[in-house]
């Protein structure tokens, strides 16, 4: 099994994300500290799983924390996958 998380839509949606040279990946740079944030489309994630022989078992949305700066609840997507067993 392989489990990972991504930031759910909502936090930072007002930011201007730019396309990268990889379809399905966007980036935004915080000009105050230089931190680069990447976003991945659902299609990109599903294609990545497929190309690595991983089956999606479950995707859940959970509440992570309350962001005091943006005054919003922050949610995460939790993915549970399983490696395909090839004969």
């Amino acid at each position: 099994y392989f489990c990972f998380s991504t930031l759910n839509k909502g936090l930072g949606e007002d930011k201007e994300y730019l396309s990268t040279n990889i379809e399905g990946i966007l980036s935004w740079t915080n000009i105050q500290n230089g931190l680069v944030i990447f976003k991945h489309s659902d299609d990109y994630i599903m294609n990545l799983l497929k190309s690595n022989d991983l089956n999606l078992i479950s995707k859940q949305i959970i509440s992570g924390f309350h962001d005091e700066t943006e005054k919003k609840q922050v949610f995460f997507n939790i993915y549970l996958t399983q490696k395909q067993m090839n004969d």
Side-chain angles (χ1 to χ4, degrees):
Y1 293 96
F2 176 65
C3 188
F4 64 97
S5 66
T6 60
L7 185 62
N8 189 271
K9 293 178 181 175
L11 187 69
E13 286 300 306
D14 57 334
K15 307 287 190 273
E16 188 174 325
Y17 284 85
L18 303 174
S19 297
T20 65
N21 60 347
I22 301 172
E23 187 174 336
I25 299 180
L26 303 171
S27 70
W28 172 76
T29 303
N30 183 327
I31 58 172
Q32 293 176 336
N33 60 21
L35 182 66
V36 179
I37 305 295
F38 292 96
K39 286 176 57 171
H40 303 79
S41 71
D42 288 339
D43 286 341
Y44 179 84
I45 291 172
M46 294 310 294
N47 287 332
L48 191 60
L49 293 176
K50 183 178 179 182
S51 69
N52 287 283
D53 297 322
L54 292 165
N55 292 322
L56 181 62
I57 304 297
S58 178
K59 177 184 174 186
Q60 302 290 320
I61 299 173
I62 65 164
S63 173
F65 61 92
H66 183 78
D67 184 308
E68 294 298 327
T69 304
E70 295 200 21
K71 306 292 188 222
K72 291 183 181 180
Q73 193 65 24
V74 178
F75 294 91
F76 291 90
N77 301 313
I78 305 296
Y79 297 84
L80 175 64
T81 65
Q82 184 176 25
K83 185 80 170 169
Q84 289 180 9
M85 302 308 283
N86 298 324
D87 295 330

